[in-house]
Structure formats: C-alpha cells, structure tokens
Amino acid sequence: MSVGNLGAPLASPQRRSASLARLAGTPALWIVVFALAAAAALCLPLRLPLGPNAWDTAVYLDAIQRIRMGQIPSLDFFAPVGPLGYYGAALLDALFPRAQPMLLANWALLPVLLPVAALLCADVATLSRRMALALLLPFLLFASLPINLHGLYPMPGFDGYGHYNRHVALLLYLLIATLLFVQARRLTIGLVAALMLALFLVKITGAVTGAMLVGYAVIAGRLRLRDATIAAALVLGALGVLDLATGLVRAYIADILALLALNTGALLPRFLTVASVKFNVVGPCLLLIGALVVSAWRGGIAPSLEGLRSFAASNLGWLAAALVALTFFETQNTGSLEYIGLWPVLLLILLDWRERQDALKPLVLVLALATALPSAVIFVERSVRAVLGAAGHVALDAPELGPLGRVSVKADMAARAAGMLEHYAAHQASYRDLMKRDLPPSYILYSEIDYQAAWLLEVRQGVAAIRAWEAANGRRLNGFLTLDFVDPFNRLLDRTPPRHVPIGMDPGRSTPALEPDTLAELARTDAILAPKCPPTTSREAIRQHFAEALAGRRLIALSPCWDMYLRD
C-alpha cells in the first residue's frame, strides 16, 4: 500500500464533514427544515401552556368559520385588521384540522413569509452564505413560536394574542433586509411589491410603516424612484384586480376609516409608552446613534445635497430611519416582536465596524450588540420558560372545545379557574355592583392566565348547555352571536355566523354603529348568547350596543353562566 493510500481513510471523514458543513450553511435547507417542523407540529394534537389574553386566538377561529361558510372579511363581517392573516389561518386549518389554534394563528403567514425569505437569502447567498444565514436564522427564531417580546403576566405561557402584530414585524424585517441586502434589481422590485401588498392586507399601520421605509430607501439611493414606482404600480394593480373580483379592498378601506373614527388619541403618549416598555432596545439604540453621530461628525459631513444623501445612505441614517418607523408601528400595538427589524441594519454596522481602526470601535460594537441581543434573549427565555413550565402542568378539562381546549395550566390554577367560575355564578350581584362602578373584577383581568382558563371553562359550559337545550327542545339553532369579545360557538358547533357583525368586539374601538343590514341579519339568527361569569363593563357595553337586536326575543337562563336571547 502506498503512502498516498494510507491517507485516504482520513480524507473521507474530512470530506464528509466539509460536505455537512456546506449543507448546514445552505439557507434553503434551514427553510425546508423549518417548514417541515411547522407542518409536523400542526399535524400533532399538541397541548400548549396557556398564556395571557389567549382568547384573542379564538378571533381567528371565528374568522376561519366565517370564511368556510363563504363570508369575505370586510364585506361580510367587520374585522379589526386586514384579511390576509385570516385567509392564511383558514388555509392552514383546511390542511391541518387538528392543529392547536395558537400555532395555527401564529404561522398563518408562513405561506407568504417563507418563500420571500428563500428568495431574499438565495440572492444574498450569491455573495455570502454566512450573511444570508445571519439574516435568516434570527428570522426563523422569531417566527418559530407564539411568543411576544414583552410579557403581560409574570407566569410563563404561550402568547395567544398579538398574532397579526408579529406577522407585521416579520414582514417588516424582510422588507428592511430586502432594501439593504438584495442586489438584483428585478428581485428587489418584486420582493418590495410582495411585502408591501402583504403588509397592506395584514394591517394598515404595517403598510404605512413599510411605505416610510421604502420612501427612505428612495431618498438614500438604495432604491431608484423608478423601481419604487414600478413596485407601487404592481401593488395597486394587484389590489385593483382583487377589488374588481371581490370588492374586498373598498370594503377594507371603509373598515379602516371606521376604525380611525372610533380610535382617536394623541400619538405622543403612545411613543412614550413604547419607549418605556422597550427601553432595553430603545435606550442602547439611541446611544448607538449618538456614537455614530460623533463618528460621522469627526469624519466631516459636507453641508451639501450630496453630503446629506451620503448621510441618508449611511448605516447611521438607516438605523435612525428604522428606529423611527418601527416605533411608529409599535405605538399601535399590544403584543408584538418589537424592533426585530433593526437587526439587518445592526448587522451592517457590526460588519463595518469590526474592520475599522477607530477609538469608538469597542463602544459601537458593544452598543450594537446591546441593541440586538435583548430581543433574542427575551424570546428564547420566555419560550424556554413556557416549555419547561409546561412539564408541571395539567390538562385543562375542556374536551368539548376540541383543539381550542388543548391547553395546560398549573394544577392549582386549574382548580382556581373551576372554583372562580362557580363563584362568579353564585355572586352575580357583587360583580354587577363593580360593573355599575365601571370597575373590572381585576385591573389586568384578561391578562390573568387563571381567568383565561375560567373563560375556556365558561365556553365549555355554554357548549354543553346549548347541546342539552337543543336535545330537550328538538331544535337545532342555526347560528349564534355572543355578546363578548370573542364568539367561538359557531366554530365549535359548526353553525353559520351572522353576517355584518364585528369579530373581536372591543367596545368603543371595534364596534361600529349598527346598520340595517346588521339588524336584518341578526333577526334571522336563532340565538344571541350573553355570558355572565363574571358580568363586566365590556360585556355590558356590548349588550347595550346590540340592545335593538335583542328586542322581542325570549330570554332563557341557559346555564349558571349563560343567558340566551332566543328567536321564536
């Protein structure tokens, strides 16, 4: 055997190791693995740890049921946000009928997000696979689980609220990455158009934020005005075709105007709230901007149009623009992936400054990491706490709710939820007294996990009571309206929801005045349900809002926690 042959067995493992390393560095592989993992999770009857405001997820189930019955968002029911998330959830529900609803809603936009991420990373990978992975892996991390970056309750659990805010945050992340990293002109135009269209159809404030960023890219010279105009024409063309085919766009714009009329208030307090809640990101980012300003001042900025354009195109300009735009978006939100869109800009800053010989280099690098790391650390920490905490949980006893009831809580919390439901039913007068005083039973009632568990048990009681009443009276009710924030009964009992009513009813914010079409539709709906455990100011406000529709109906005490206004 020759000396050369003696070395052959050593070379083969090395080649295999190198091949595996190259494979692991392929962005497309990570995207495929993520998609397969998500599909597997949606196929399985998973039970997830219950978190605060979890009933927001049931709004998606209400929308899915309506879409299944042929209703169109904004045309047939008033929605607080755009239709794309609801259609995405409906698509996943059709493919994965056993999916846990929190995962279903959280991943509703993956059919849009993953192809865009794949195209973006494929272009970036032609220059640097490491750069593509540096953009992709954080994106996949934040898209992985229903976790917000600011908790509303101290105990761990998955966040069943803020789904559409997380969707927009991920779309904005991809938009900023596209504007900064994609080199191919046609691909840039196509991705910008696709992302702006998606932002418009998910949440209008996301589209406004995206327009701010695209406009800045034109000013900074990163996107030619002609290309931005082509992208805008593509978006408007797609919306025009959609509107001609369905009328959805005009109805959606009407809903937006109605929401604007219902939601008024000064912006400054909202900016201050965002700055205080996310000071762990905003604080270091402002210091980083200050350090970059000092560096730019030392380098000299020409007081000319070209100098200003050069400043706008700099990493400093992009960081300031992204911070302002993302802050504007977050002023409208409760529950989100705040400021993850800063990462593409911070990545450029880190790559630029690691090569510099500058006295400010250590400060800039530390501040860039201090801005980037809190979001990732909080996401991982809250995710791990939720998963590990679930090991000591028990299943909530709500089999009648199907996938909606597949949640877990601590044993003492499950016992408390059941006990509180009985307490609410037995002490109605006390809670009505609080209601008259315009006081909630608890200041953060809806963020309390035990209340969310009690609400699920209240819905379970309602489902059982409806089935018992129908069996006793030999009548199948044709549909329901629930006088509460969410209306899960049509989905749970597979009935037809009334048209022209809002989903996710928040008194004063998403309850427009009743129209004749709404009253006519409700007159054809057999049952209007009023929850009572506990009576709250919100529930009473919704009942008063629909008082005209309740006239002439027979009031039936359906169960300790439910009244039914029956159409005879």
Side-chain angles (χ1 to χ4, degrees), residues 483-543:
L483 302 176
D484 203 359
F485 173 64
V486 285
D487 191 351
F489 290 99
N490 293 297
R491 163 75 178 201
L492 295 174
L493 296 168
D494 195 22
R495 308 298 165 85
T496 302
R499 303 159 85 94
H500 308 302
V501 297
I503 62 172
M505 289 190 282
D506 189 351
R509 293 188 63 193
S510 59
T511 48
L514 296 183
E515 299 288 342
D517 288 348
T518 305
L519 293 171
E521 185 69 17
L522 290 175
R524 293 189 287 270
T525 300
D526 282 345
I528 298 178
L529 303 174
K532 302 188 295 182
C533 292
T536 65
T537 53
S538 294
R539 286 174 165 177
E540 179 61 18
I542 294 171
R543 192 188 72 80

Coordinates of all heavy atoms in Angstrom, one line a residue, residues 483-543:
L483 N -72.3 38.0 22.9 CA -72.1 39.3 23.4 C -70.9 39.4 24.3 O -70.9 39.7 25.5 CB -73.4 39.8 24.2 CG -74.7 39.8 23.4 CD1 -75.8 40.2 24.3 CD2 -74.6 40.6 22.1
D484 N -69.7 39.2 23.6 CA -68.5 39.2 24.3 C -67.4 39.5 23.3 O -67.6 39.7 22.1 CB -68.2 37.8 24.9 CG -67.2 37.8 26.0 OD1 -66.7 38.9 26.4 OD2 -67.0 36.8 26.6
F485 N -66.2 39.7 23.7 CA -65.0 40.0 22.9 C -64.9 39.0 21.7 O -64.6 39.3 20.6 CB -63.8 40.1 23.7 CG -62.5 40.3 22.9 CD1 -62.3 41.4 22.1 CD2 -61.5 39.3 22.8 CE1 -61.2 41.6 21.3 CE2 -60.4 39.5 22.1 CZ -60.2 40.6 21.3
V486 N -65.0 37.7 22.1 CA -64.9 36.7 21.1 C -66.2 35.8 21.0 O -66.9 35.8 21.9 CB -63.7 35.7 21.4 CG1 -62.4 36.4 21.0 CG2 -63.6 35.3 22.8
D487 N -66.3 35.1 19.9 CA -67.5 34.4 19.6 C -67.1 33.0 19.0 O -67.1 32.8 17.8 CB -68.4 35.1 18.6 CG -69.8 34.5 18.4 OD1 -70.0 33.4 19.0 OD2 -70.6 35.1 17.8
P488 N -66.9 32.0 19.9 CA -66.4 30.7 19.5 C -67.4 29.7 19.1 O -67.1 28.6 18.6 CB -65.5 30.3 20.7 CG -66.3 30.8 21.8 CD -66.9 32.1 21.4
F489 N -68.7 30.0 19.4 CA -69.7 28.9 19.3 C -70.0 28.4 17.9 O -70.3 27.3 17.7 CB -71.0 29.4 20.1 CG -70.8 29.5 21.6 CD1 -70.6 30.7 22.1 CD2 -70.8 28.4 22.3 CE1 -70.4 30.8 23.5 CE2 -70.7 28.4 23.7 CZ -70.4 29.7 24.3
N490 N -70.0 29.3 17.0 CA -70.3 28.9 15.6 C -69.3 27.9 15.1 O -69.6 26.9 14.4 CB -70.4 30.1 14.7 CG -71.6 30.9 15.0 OD1 -72.8 30.5 14.9 ND2 -71.4 32.2 15.4
R491 N -68.0 28.2 15.5 CA -66.9 27.3 15.1 C -67.1 25.9 15.9 O -67.0 24.9 15.3 CB -65.6 27.9 15.4 CG -64.4 27.0 15.5 CD -63.9 26.6 14.1 NE -62.7 25.7 14.3 CZ -61.9 25.5 13.3 NH1 -62.1 26.0 12.1 NH2 -60.8 24.7 13.5
L492 N -67.3 26.0 17.2 CA -67.3 24.8 18.0 C -68.5 23.9 17.7 O -68.4 22.7 17.7 CB -67.3 25.2 19.5 CG -66.1 25.9 20.0 CD1 -66.3 26.4 21.4 CD2 -64.9 25.0 19.9
L493 N -69.6 24.5 17.3 CA -70.8 23.7 17.0 C -71.1 23.7 15.5 O -72.2 23.1 15.1 CB -72.0 24.4 17.7 CG -71.9 24.3 19.3 CD1 -73.0 25.2 19.9 CD2 -72.0 22.9 19.8
D494 N -70.2 24.2 14.7 CA -70.4 24.2 13.2 C -71.7 24.8 12.8 O -72.5 24.1 12.1 CB -70.2 22.8 12.7 CG -69.9 22.8 11.2 OD1 -69.5 23.8 10.7 OD2 -70.2 21.8 10.5
R495 N -71.9 26.0 13.2 CA -73.1 26.7 12.7 C -72.7 27.9 11.9 O -71.6 28.2 11.7 CB -73.9 27.2 13.9 CG -74.2 26.1 14.9 CD -75.1 25.0 14.4 NE -75.1 23.8 15.2 CZ -75.9 23.6 16.3 NH1 -76.7 24.6 16.6 NH2 -75.8 22.5 17.0
T496 N -73.7 28.6 11.3 CA -73.5 29.7 10.4 C -73.5 31.1 11.2 O -74.5 31.4 11.8 CB -74.6 29.8 9.3 OG1 -74.6 28.6 8.6 CG2 -74.3 30.9 8.4
P497 N -72.4 31.8 11.2 CA -72.3 33.0 11.9 C -73.1 34.1 11.2 O -73.2 34.1 10.0 CB -70.8 33.4 11.9 CG -70.1 32.2 11.4 CD -71.1 31.4 10.6
P498 N -73.7 35.0 11.9 CA -74.5 36.1 11.3 C -73.5 37.0 10.6 O -72.4 37.3 11.0 CB -75.2 36.8 12.5 CG -74.3 36.5 13.7 CD -73.8 35.1 13.4
R499 N -73.9 37.5 9.4 CA -73.1 38.5 8.7 C -73.2 39.9 9.2 O -74.1 40.2 10.0 CB -73.5 38.4 7.2 CG -73.4 37.0 6.6 CD -74.3 36.9 5.4 NE -73.6 37.4 4.2 CZ -73.0 36.6 3.3 NH1 -72.9 35.3 3.6 NH2 -72.4 37.1 2.3
H500 N -72.3 40.7 8.8 CA -72.3 42.2 9.1 C -72.2 42.5 10.5 O -72.7 43.5 11.0 CB -73.6 42.8 8.5 CG -73.9 42.5 7.1 ND1 -73.0 42.8 6.1 CD2 -74.9 41.9 6.4 CE1 -73.4 42.4 4.9 NE2 -74.6 41.8 5.1
V501 N -71.5 41.6 11.3 CA -71.2 41.9 12.7 C -69.7 41.9 12.8 O -69.0 41.2 12.1 CB -71.9 40.9 13.7 CG1 -73.4 41.0 13.6 CG2 -71.4 39.5 13.4
P502 N -69.2 42.6 13.8 CA -67.7 42.6 14.0 C -67.2 41.2 14.6 O -67.9 40.5 15.3 CB -67.5 43.7 15.0 CG -68.8 44.4 15.1 CD -69.8 43.5 14.8
I503 N -65.9 40.9 14.4 CA -65.2 39.9 15.1 C -64.2 40.6 16.0 O -63.7 41.6 15.7 CB -64.5 38.9 14.2 CG1 -63.5 39.5 13.3 CG2 -65.6 38.2 13.3 CD1 -62.6 38.6 12.6
G504 N -64.0 40.0 17.2 CA -63.1 40.6 18.1 C -63.7 42.0 18.6 O -63.1 43.0 18.4
M505 N -64.9 41.9 19.3 CA -65.6 43.1 19.6 C -65.0 43.8 20.9 O -65.0 43.2 22.0 CB -67.1 42.8 19.9 CG -67.8 42.5 18.6 SD -69.6 42.4 18.8 CE -69.8 40.8 19.5
D506 N -64.4 44.9 20.6 CA -63.8 45.7 21.7 C -64.6 47.0 21.8 O -64.6 47.8 20.9 CB -62.3 46.1 21.4 CG -61.6 46.7 22.6 OD1 -62.3 47.0 23.6 OD2 -60.4 46.9 22.5
P507 N -65.5 47.2 22.8 CA -66.4 48.3 22.9 C -65.7 49.6 22.7 O -64.7 49.9 23.3 CB -67.0 48.2 24.3 CG -66.8 46.8 24.7 CD -65.6 46.3 24.0
G508 N -66.2 50.4 21.8 CA -65.6 51.7 21.5 C -64.5 51.7 20.6 O -64.1 52.8 20.1
R509 N -63.9 50.6 20.3 CA -62.8 50.5 19.4 C -63.1 49.7 18.1 O -62.5 50.0 17.0 CB -61.6 49.9 20.1 CG -61.0 50.7 21.2 CD -59.7 50.1 21.8 NE -58.7 50.1 20.7 CZ -57.6 49.4 20.8 NH1 -57.3 48.6 21.9 NH2 -56.7 49.4 19.9
S510 N -63.9 48.7 18.2 CA -64.2 47.9 17.0 C -65.7 47.5 17.0 O -66.0 46.4 16.6 CB -63.3 46.6 17.0 OG -63.5 45.8 18.1
T511 N -66.5 48.4 17.4 CA -68.0 48.2 17.4 C -68.6 49.4 16.7 O -69.2 50.3 17.4 CB -68.5 48.0 18.8 OG1 -68.0 49.1 19.7 CG2 -68.1 46.7 19.4
P512 N -68.6 49.4 15.4 CA -69.3 50.5 14.7 C -70.8 50.4 14.9 O -71.4 49.4 15.3 CB -68.9 50.2 13.2 CG -68.6 48.8 13.1 CD -68.0 48.4 14.5
A513 N -71.4 51.6 14.6 CA -72.9 51.6 14.8 C -73.6 50.6 14.0 O -73.2 50.2 12.9 CB -73.4 53.0 14.4
L514 N -74.7 50.1 14.6 CA -75.5 49.0 13.9 C -76.1 49.6 12.6 O -76.8 50.6 12.7 CB -76.6 48.5 14.8 CG -76.1 47.7 16.1 CD1 -77.2 47.2 16.9 CD2 -75.1 46.6 15.8
E515 N -76.0 48.8 11.6 CA -76.6 49.2 10.3 C -77.8 48.4 10.1 O -78.0 47.3 10.7 CB -75.6 48.9 9.1 CG -74.3 49.7 9.2 CD -74.5 51.2 8.9 OE1 -75.6 51.5 8.3 OE2 -73.7 52.0 9.3
P516 N -78.7 48.8 9.2 CA -79.9 48.0 8.9 C -79.6 46.6 8.5 O -80.3 45.6 8.8 CB -80.6 48.8 7.8 CG -80.2 50.2 8.0 CD -78.8 50.1 8.5
D517 N -78.5 46.4 7.7 CA -78.2 45.1 7.2 C -77.8 44.2 8.4 O -78.1 43.0 8.4 CB -77.0 45.1 6.3 CG -77.4 45.7 4.9 OD1 -78.6 45.8 4.7 OD2 -76.5 46.0 4.1
T518 N -77.1 44.8 9.4 CA -76.7 44.0 10.6 C -78.0 43.6 11.4 O -78.1 42.4 11.8 CB -75.9 44.9 11.5 OG1 -74.7 45.4 10.8 CG2 -75.4 44.1 12.7
L519 N -78.9 44.5 11.6 CA -80.1 44.1 12.3 C -81.0 43.1 11.6 O -81.5 42.2 12.2 CB -81.0 45.4 12.6 CG -80.3 46.4 13.5 CD1 -81.1 47.7 13.5 CD2 -80.3 45.8 14.9
A520 N -81.0 43.2 10.3 CA -81.8 42.2 9.5 C -81.1 40.8 9.6 O -81.8 39.8 9.7 CB -81.8 42.7 8.0
E521 N -79.8 40.8 9.5 CA -79.1 39.5 9.6 C -79.3 38.9 11.0 O -79.5 37.7 11.1 CB -77.6 39.7 9.3 CG -76.8 38.5 9.3 CD -77.1 37.6 8.1 OE1 -77.7 38.1 7.1 OE2 -76.7 36.4 8.2
L522 N -79.2 39.7 12.1 CA -79.4 39.2 13.4 C -80.8 38.7 13.6 O -81.1 37.8 14.4 CB -79.0 40.3 14.4 CG -77.5 40.6 14.5 CD1 -77.3 41.7 15.5 CD2 -76.7 39.4 15.0
A523 N -81.8 39.4 12.9 CA -83.2 38.9 13.1 C -83.4 37.5 12.5 O -84.3 36.8 12.9 CB -84.1 39.9 12.3
R524 N -82.5 37.1 11.7 CA -82.5 35.7 11.1 C -81.7 34.7 12.0 O -81.7 33.5 11.6 CB -82.1 35.7 9.7 CG -83.0 36.4 8.7 CD -82.6 36.2 7.3 NE -81.4 36.9 6.9 CZ -81.4 38.2 6.5 NH1 -82.5 38.8 6.3 NH2 -80.3 38.8 6.2
T525 N -81.0 35.2 13.0 CA -80.1 34.3 13.8 C -80.9 33.8 15.0 O -81.5 34.7 15.7 CB -78.9 35.1 14.2 OG1 -78.2 35.5 13.0 CG2 -78.0 34.2 15.1
D526 N -80.9 32.6 15.2 CA -81.7 32.0 16.3 C -81.4 32.4 17.7 O -82.2 32.7 18.5 CB -81.7 30.5 16.2 CG -82.6 29.9 15.1 OD1 -83.4 30.6 14.6 OD2 -82.4 28.7 14.8
A527 N -80.0 32.5 18.0 CA -79.7 32.7 19.4 C -78.6 33.8 19.5 O -77.6 33.8 18.8 CB -79.1 31.4 20.0
I528 N -78.8 34.7 20.5 CA -77.8 35.6 20.9 C -77.5 35.3 22.4 O -78.4 35.2 23.2 CB -78.4 37.1 20.8 CG1 -78.7 37.4 19.3 CG2 -77.3 38.0 21.4 CD1 -79.2 38.8 19.1
L529 N -76.2 35.0 22.6 CA -75.8 34.5 23.9 C -75.1 35.6 24.7 O -74.3 36.4 24.2 CB -74.8 33.4 23.7 CG -75.3 32.2 22.8 CD1 -74.1 31.2 22.6 CD2 -76.4 31.5 23.6
A530 N -75.5 35.6 26.0 CA -74.9 36.6 26.9 C -74.2 35.9 28.0 O -74.8 35.2 28.9 CB -76.0 37.5 27.5
P531 N -72.8 36.0 28.1 CA -72.1 35.4 29.2 C -72.2 36.2 30.5 O -72.3 37.4 30.5 CB -70.6 35.5 28.7 CG -70.6 36.7 27.8 CD -72.0 36.8 27.2
K532 N -72.1 35.5 31.6 CA -72.4 36.2 32.9 C -71.3 35.9 33.9 O -71.4 36.4 35.1 CB -73.7 35.7 33.5 CG -74.9 35.9 32.6 CD -76.2 35.6 33.3 CE -76.3 34.2 33.7 NZ -77.6 33.9 34.4
C533 N -70.2 35.2 33.6 CA -69.3 34.8 34.6 C -67.9 35.3 34.3 O -67.1 34.6 33.7 CB -69.2 33.2 34.8 SG -70.8 32.6 35.4
P534 N -67.6 36.5 34.8 CA -68.4 37.4 35.5 C -69.1 38.5 34.6 O -68.6 38.7 33.5 CB -67.4 38.1 36.5 CG -66.2 38.2 35.6 CD -66.2 37.0 34.8
P535 N -70.1 39.2 35.1 CA -70.5 40.4 34.4 C -69.4 41.5 34.4 O -68.7 41.6 35.5 CB -71.7 40.9 35.3 CG -72.1 39.8 36.1 CD -70.9 39.0 36.4
T536 N -69.1 42.1 33.3 CA -68.1 43.1 33.2 C -68.6 44.3 32.5 O -69.6 44.2 31.7 CB -66.8 42.6 32.5 OG1 -67.1 42.3 31.1 CG2 -66.3 41.3 33.2
T537 N -67.9 45.4 32.6 CA -68.3 46.6 31.9 C -68.3 46.4 30.3 O -69.1 46.9 29.6 CB -67.4 47.8 32.2 OG1 -66.0 47.4 32.1 CG2 -67.6 48.2 33.7
S538 N -67.3 45.6 29.9 CA -67.2 45.4 28.5 C -68.3 44.6 27.9 O -68.9 44.9 26.9 CB -65.8 44.7 28.1 OG -64.7 45.5 28.4
R539 N -68.7 43.5 28.7 CA -69.8 42.7 28.3 C -71.1 43.5 28.3 O -71.9 43.3 27.4 CB -69.9 41.4 29.2 CG -68.8 40.4 28.9 CD -68.8 39.3 29.9 NE -68.0 38.2 29.4 CZ -67.7 37.0 30.0 NH1 -68.3 36.9 31.2 NH2 -67.0 36.1 29.5
E540 N -71.3 44.3 29.3 CA -72.5 45.1 29.3 C -72.5 46.1 28.2 O -73.6 46.4 27.6 CB -72.6 45.8 30.7 CG -73.8 46.7 30.9 CD -75.1 46.0 30.8 OE1 -75.2 44.7 30.9 OE2 -76.1 46.7 30.5
A541 N -71.4 46.7 27.9 CA -71.3 47.7 26.8 C -71.7 47.0 25.5 O -72.4 47.6 24.6 CB -69.9 48.3 26.7
I542 N -71.2 45.8 25.2 CA -71.6 45.1 24.0 C -73.1 44.7 24.0 O -73.7 44.8 23.0 CB -70.7 43.8 23.9 CG1 -69.2 44.2 23.7 CG2 -71.2 42.9 22.7 CD1 -68.3 43.0 23.8
R543 N -73.6 44.3 25.2 CA -75.0 44.0 25.2 C -75.9 45.3 24.9 O -76.9 45.2 24.2 CB -75.4 43.5 26.6 CG -76.8 42.9 26.7 CD -77.2 42.6 28.1 NE -77.5 43.8 28.9 CZ -78.6 44.5 28.8 NH1 -79.6 44.1 28.0 NH2 -78.8 45.6 29.5

